Amino acid sequence: MIKQILNRLPRKPSKSGDARDGGAGSTASPNSSNSSRNSDLASNRNVNLNDTSFSALHPAPNSGLNYGTKVSQPVNSKLNGNLVASFEALPSLRDVPNSEKQNLFIRKLSSCCILFDFTDPTKNIKEKDIKRQTLVELLDYVSTANGKFPEIVMQGIVKMASVNLFRALTSPPRENRVLEGFDLEEEEPSMDPAWLHLQTVYDILLRFVSSPETDAKLAKRYIDHSFVLRLLDLFDSEDPREREYLKMVLHRTYGKFMVHRPFIRKAINNIFYRFIFETEKHNGIAELLEILGSIINGFALPLKEEHKLFLVRALIPLHKPKCLTMYHQQLSYCIAQFVEKDCKLADTVIRGMLKYWPITNSSKEVMFLGEMEEVLEATQPAEFQRCMVPLFRQIGRCLSSSHFQVAERALYLWNNHHIENLIKQNRRVILPLIFPALEQNARNHWNQVVQSLTLNVRKIFSDIDPELFEECLQKFQEDEAREKEMKVKREATWRRLEEIAAMKMASNEPVLVSPTTTRKPSR
């Protein structure tokens, strides 16, 4: 009885069998285990790529498909510094019969899931070179495919790309430089030492997503929401080469997988929200906006409410961060696309920009004026009239700026024929708002270019409507005379108070100051 019970217990595996198969606790012989796995590969069924045991994808060395390679188990040399991956070259796909190419391709995908430490160039030099050559061969196979990819191949490609690409960034995100006058181009970005391998992996993924041989209905099982989110996380990479590849991959993914489009837009929104309202630090905002510029260009009319909310809640608030310089060109393009799609959004955009108008940052103010010109160029008269009063109050303040670039950029608005026509049509409202700034510039501005441009703008108004110009000039002179009179009265009042205070102090009487008395202005 006891002997029967002992016979039923699992036998302890031998060291040789355990090392070869990775199947701790298995009572089956190595040959039988390898044969069953080889049978699964031959029929392209029952292969689980999500299994951490990569031997599930490898035909056994002593089976009919002996390619002379030993990859006993996946080894990440970053995590296992003392372990050396047994990574040997597999035969070329060109050297095997067509019937065996798919199995060999899957084995090569599996072997490329082994990671190496690229921060130390002296480690695993031979294995790294073999992996690089294998990746190049995989890229050639995917690029020249002349038939639909089977599901097992799709699963293998996505798994290999995920293992290699989805990682913690090699360096912390660069802090955005917000000091005025700081040249971002002088800051050297951090380059990933593994880029030689990563680039080929990105090429494989890009060719796979773009290939007409990729069935979107099947591939969406593996390029799913989780995959897209992890892809978006990589946009914070400091390496500009990686962000450029990510931009292409995400753009192709958006175009091929229509089912994922709403999710991708929502995920990008969330990145923007976190950037605007929490961190103000992200390396990939410009690339994400570049993708969105193409997406917005393809929006059907009339625009959905979802898209209008995206404009109001995400794009317009992107004017707020201090590091606007890093992505302003792409943001300006997206904003202009919305206004060109629906001219009624011009009022919303202009008022939104006025809300975030910079006060003490002159370089940022110049960018705002340039973007405002693009928006006004697509604005129709009805929308222009709704926002022209707050708009030209702000432009009047820009004209009065002591920073010559701000005043100069504001005066350049009159060089745009469409904007000039809008101003002329509404001159009776606009000229009184900006006339004091024009007159002060013509008289007192220190920069000769600003003075010259101001005289040209004054001449435009005086030629088109001399009566209105004279009215504004007369009102300005009256206001100026009134201001001078008030200034004289203030100074006389302060002199009288000083005399009274002196008399009180001479007679040793306390000086009482009324709580309503204002502070004497500095001279």
Side-chain angles (χ1 to χ4, degrees), residues 21 148 162 206 214 477:
D21 297 331
K148 293 293 183 181
S162 301
L206 181 61
T214 301
Q477 292 172 347

PDB file of all heavy atoms in Angstrom, residues 21 148 162 206 214 477:
ATOM      1  N   ASP A  21      14.730  21.543 -20.613  1.00  0.00           N
ATOM      2  CA  ASP A  21      13.337  21.836 -20.921  1.00  0.00           C
ATOM      3  C   ASP A  21      12.763  22.980 -20.111  1.00  0.00           C
ATOM      4  O   ASP A  21      11.751  23.544 -20.488  1.00  0.00           O
ATOM      5  CB  ASP A  21      12.462  20.598 -20.678  1.00  0.00           C
ATOM      6  CG  ASP A  21      12.851  19.469 -21.608  1.00  0.00           C
ATOM      7  OD1 ASP A  21      13.334  19.804 -22.703  1.00  0.00           O
ATOM      8  OD2 ASP A  21      12.671  18.300 -21.231  1.00  0.00           O
ATOM      9  N   LYS A 148      -0.888  37.153 -46.357  1.00  0.00           N
ATOM     10  CA  LYS A 148      -1.413  37.636 -45.083  1.00  0.00           C
ATOM     11  C   LYS A 148      -0.632  37.009 -43.921  1.00  0.00           C
ATOM     12  O   LYS A 148      -0.339  35.814 -43.930  1.00  0.00           O
ATOM     13  CB  LYS A 148      -2.894  37.291 -44.946  1.00  0.00           C
ATOM     14  CG  LYS A 148      -3.809  38.031 -45.934  1.00  0.00           C
ATOM     15  CD  LYS A 148      -3.829  39.523 -45.641  1.00  0.00           C
ATOM     16  CE  LYS A 148      -4.797  40.240 -46.585  1.00  0.00           C
ATOM     17  NZ  LYS A 148      -4.804  41.699 -46.338  1.00  0.00           N
ATOM     18  N   SER A 162       6.991  44.647 -27.932  1.00  0.00           N
ATOM     19  CA  SER A 162       6.648  45.065 -26.566  1.00  0.00           C
ATOM     20  C   SER A 162       7.802  44.834 -25.607  1.00  0.00           C
ATOM     21  O   SER A 162       8.121  45.700 -24.787  1.00  0.00           O
ATOM     22  CB  SER A 162       5.404  44.314 -26.083  1.00  0.00           C
ATOM     23  OG  SER A 162       4.297  44.563 -26.929  1.00  0.00           O
ATOM     24  N   LEU A 206       6.748  49.368 -37.456  1.00  0.00           N
ATOM     25  CA  LEU A 206       6.171  50.306 -38.420  1.00  0.00           C
ATOM     26  C   LEU A 206       5.786  49.589 -39.712  1.00  0.00           C
ATOM     27  O   LEU A 206       4.687  49.814 -40.254  1.00  0.00           O
ATOM     28  CB  LEU A 206       7.167  51.424 -38.693  1.00  0.00           C
ATOM     29  CG  LEU A 206       6.733  52.525 -39.667  1.00  0.00           C
ATOM     30  CD1 LEU A 206       5.505  53.260 -39.146  1.00  0.00           C
ATOM     31  CD2 LEU A 206       7.870  53.511 -39.903  1.00  0.00           C
ATOM     32  N   THR A 214      -1.241  42.906 -43.212  1.00  0.00           N
ATOM     33  CA  THR A 214      -1.682  42.835 -41.815  1.00  0.00           C
ATOM     34  C   THR A 214      -3.186  43.023 -41.754  1.00  0.00           C
ATOM     35  O   THR A 214      -3.709  44.081 -42.130  1.00  0.00           O
ATOM     36  CB  THR A 214      -0.983  43.913 -40.973  1.00  0.00           C
ATOM     37  OG1 THR A 214       0.438  43.727 -41.054  1.00  0.00           O
ATOM     38  CG2 THR A 214      -1.420  43.842 -39.523  1.00  0.00           C
ATOM     39  N   GLN A 477      -6.244 114.844 -27.602  1.00  0.00           N
ATOM     40  CA  GLN A 477      -5.677 116.099 -27.102  1.00  0.00           C
ATOM     41  C   GLN A 477      -6.448 116.609 -25.886  1.00  0.00           C
ATOM     42  O   GLN A 477      -5.848 117.123 -24.930  1.00  0.00           O
ATOM     43  CB  GLN A 477      -5.677 117.147 -28.224  1.00  0.00           C
ATOM     44  CG  GLN A 477      -4.705 116.817 -29.347  1.00  0.00           C
ATOM     45  CD  GLN A 477      -4.838 117.740 -30.539  1.00  0.00           C
ATOM     46  OE1 GLN A 477      -5.821 118.511 -30.655  1.00  0.00           O
ATOM     47  NE2 GLN A 477      -3.872 117.699 -31.444  1.00  0.00           N
TER      48      GLN A 477
END
